[in-house]
């Protein structure tokens, strides 16, 4: 018999989930009294009380600093709120796609994922808590708004303080936690070690994932880079090489708004339905549940299908390996053939991380006014503020330019897009307004 205690607390006003869960500095979770407890209670409060007794909740994370403390709190708070069955990863570890898969397989009511994804971990890094629903996908805005509303009025939470779960079972495992202090982010900047290893020419295929295994980067021999917007287009164009799609057929394709139009070209040529969604995987889930979507991707290294309701880095790499096995060509040959057949969308993304929030908001507001000016009609440059940062604001600038002139399709994207980048920086006055001289990361 364990004791249930009700603890008086003060609500916080800043527990609004972003693009993918609540992400804050570890210190925010550690130093503010009941900060994590409040948010966990708010999540559990959205689960219908009548369902809790029979419900299963899946819990897992990417192993970063503070994860184990958070899992103990989830166990204690879930039990005190009448959740009867938790499924937790060994040592607490489960990738985001694995949690999505387990929720679906076990018909769980949902899952809590302890990760700040590609953001750095460690005591001075970031921590994050995501909530996924019974479809296996990230909670839609209706539910995240409800969680936020509850958090803003929370006066107490329920907890079984003596309950302790031993997460370490049989066997011995060693792994480096907190990603060696680096960004666990699969892109050319943060996965430079892999890029350099590939440049040696010793390997034909390289792949990297983020902290929670939902993002992926694909590289060919000599470090040949596959842009994520192209990656999903290649999978779409080679859909018959993938055993899963042979079985299920292809219901439709989708990409997030800032992702390049490479997938659109494939959809048009192969007469498949294409959908455009806002940024964030939760928006694909609705289409999948409606039986309208089989394959989708985001420019931010996210690729996946309707086998689960999250992006799945490992699945994407296996899809590429299936294509390589069928076509018996190199990554570079496959990519070049693709551009010759469909034309090429030159794409780049500039990230300006942790800029002053007020300057960023002001810039976005002024841009909106400018865009409604008739002289801007017909030009396509996208600016967004990130919803996954933990401090200040992150500005993202996306540029996409289609080219089907065979003389030009093999050029360097940064060279091809330089004139458009110039226009974007001029129009937005981004550098002047933020005091930056260049982006933190270029994709
Ligand atoms: C970013 C990406 C978005 C992705 C989200 C969650 O969001 O741009 O495409 O779905 O991260 O991915 P934002 O709002 O910062 O641009 V993960 O792997 O961080 O859960
Ligand atoms: Co991730």
């Amino acid at each position: 018999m364990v004791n249930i205690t009700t603890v008086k607390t003060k609500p916080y006003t800043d527990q609004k989930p972003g693009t993918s869960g609540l992400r804050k500095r570890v210190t925010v979770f550690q130093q503010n009294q009941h900060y994590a407890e409040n948010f966990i209670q708010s999540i559990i409060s959205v689960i219908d009380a009548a369902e809790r007794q029979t419900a299963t909740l899946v819990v897992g994370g990417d192993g970063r600093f503070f994860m184990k403390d958070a899992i103990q709190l989830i166990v204690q708070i879930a039990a005190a709120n009448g959740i009867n069955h938790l499924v937790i990863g060994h040592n607490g570890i489960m990738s985001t796609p694995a949690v999505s898969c387990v929720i679906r397989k076990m018909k769980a009511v949902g899952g809590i994922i302890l990760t700040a994804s590609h953001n750095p971990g460690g005591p001075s890094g970031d921590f994050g808590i995501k909530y996924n629903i019974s479809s296996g996908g990230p909670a839609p805005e209706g539910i995240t708004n409800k969680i936020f509303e509850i958090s803003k009025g929370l006066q107490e939470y329920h907890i079984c303080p003596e309950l302790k779960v031993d997460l370490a079972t049989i066997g011995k495992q060693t792994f480096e936690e907190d990603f060696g202090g680096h960004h666990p982010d699969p892109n050319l900047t943060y996965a430079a070690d892999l890029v350099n290893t590939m440049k040696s020419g010793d390997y034909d295929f390289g792949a990297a994932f983020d902290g929670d295994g939902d993002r992926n980067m694909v590289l060919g021999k000599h470090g040949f880079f596959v842009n994520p917007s192209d990656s999903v287009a290649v999978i779409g164009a080679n859909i018959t090489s993938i055993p899963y799609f042979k079985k299920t057929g292809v219901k439709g394709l989708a990409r997030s708004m800032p992702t390049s139009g490479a997938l659109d070209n494939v959809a048009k040529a192969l007469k498949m339905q294409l959908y455009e969604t806002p940024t964030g995987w939760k928006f694909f889930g609705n289409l999948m549940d409606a039986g309208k979507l089989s394959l989708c991707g985001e420019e931010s290294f996210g690729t996946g299908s309707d086998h689960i309701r999250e992006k799945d880095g490992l699945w994407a790499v296996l899809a590429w390996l299936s294509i390589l096995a069928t076509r018996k060509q190199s990554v570079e040959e496959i990519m070049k053939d693709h551009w010759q057949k469909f034309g090429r969308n030159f794409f780049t993304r500039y990230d300006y991380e942790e800029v002053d929030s007020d300057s960023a908001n002001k810039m976005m507001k002024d841009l909106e006014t400018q865009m409604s000016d008739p002289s801007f009609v017909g030009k396509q440059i996208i600016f967004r503020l990130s919803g996954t940062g933990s401090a200040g604001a992150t500005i993202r600038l996306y540029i996409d330019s289609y080219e089907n002139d065979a003389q030009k399709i093999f050029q360097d994207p940064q060279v091809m897009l330089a004139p458009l980048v110039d226009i974007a920086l001029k129009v937005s006055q981004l550098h002047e307004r933020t005091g930056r001289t260049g982006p933190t990361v270029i994709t």
Side-chain angles (χ1 to χ4, degrees), residues 159-230:
I159 189 162
C160 301
E162 293 122 52
L163 197 63
K164 294 259 148 53
V165 166
D166 180 10
L167 297 174
T169 45
I170 19 122
K172 190 177 158 194
Q173 277 195 24
T174 46
F175 42 85
E176 200 181 336
E177 292 215 335
D178 298 330
F179 319 109
H182 301 294
H183 281 256
D185 198 355
N187 61 35
L188 295 174
T189 307
Y190 293 125
D193 285 0
L194 177 70
V195 176
N196 288 333
T197 306
M198 290 300 295
K199 279 193 177 147
S200 68
D202 292 342
Y203 307 97
D204 294 314
F205 187 85
F209 308 100
D210 70 341
D212 59 335
D214 55 357
R215 299 184 178 208
N216 76 96
M217 174 172 73
V218 169
L219 297 172
K221 200 167 182 156
H222 303 294
F224 182 89
F225 171 62
V226 179
N227 188 294
S229 298
D230 282 338

Side-chain angles (χ1 to χ4, degrees), residues 2-181:
V2 287
N3 287 324
I4 302 179
T5 311
T6 298
V7 180
K8 290 264 169 278
T9 186
K10 269 193 343 271
Y12 288 93
T13 51
D14 67 342
Q15 296 192 325
K16 186 173 172 52
T19 313
S20 193
L22 180 73
R23 289 187 196 171
K24 300 277 177 198
R25 291 271 192 261
V26 166
T27 48
V28 172
F29 283 96
Q30 271 180 329
Q31 289 166 8
N32 293 316
Q33 224 196 351
H34 309 310
Y35 195 85
E37 290 88 337
N38 275 19
F39 191 65
I40 294 164
Q41 175 66 58
S42 304
I43 291 176
I44 297 197
S45 296
V46 301
I47 302 173
D48 192 354
E51 268 187 73
R52 292 186 198 164
Q53 224 193 341
T54 50
T56 296
L57 193 64
V58 182
V59 182
D62 61 8
R64 70 178 59 223
F65 186 81
F66 198 66
M67 179 195 79
K68 287 193 176 165
D69 302 87
I71 294 182
Q72 293 298 349
L73 288 176
I74 291 170
V75 170
Q76 294 171 348
I77 295 172
N81 282 277
I83 302 272
N84 260 15
H85 194 188
L86 292 183
V87 174
I88 309 176
H90 180 205
N91 285 322
I93 308 276
M94 241 195 270
S95 71
T96 292
V99 172
S100 181
C101 177
V102 173
I103 293 173
R104 294 168 68 79
K105 286 261 157 78
M106 304 198 74
K107 301 202 174 1
V109 68
I112 300 179
I113 313 173
L114 294 319
T115 176
S117 193
H118 55 294
N119 300 11
S124 55
D126 287 353
F127 189 70
I129 304 181
K130 306 209 249 188
Y131 180 57
N132 283 28
I133 56 168
S134 61
S135 68
E141 277 168 338
I143 293 185
T144 53
N145 288 341
K146 220 162 144 187
I147 294 174
F148 182 43
E149 286 310 316
I150 294 172
S151 75
K152 284 191 292 187
L154 202 74
Q155 298 297 334
E156 57 184 34
Y157 62 86
H158 310 291
I159 189 162
C160 301
E162 293 122 52
L163 197 63
K164 294 259 148 53
V165 166
D166 180 10
L167 297 174
T169 45
I170 19 122
K172 190 177 158 194
Q173 277 195 24
T174 46
F175 42 85
E176 200 181 336
E177 292 215 335
D178 298 330
F179 319 109

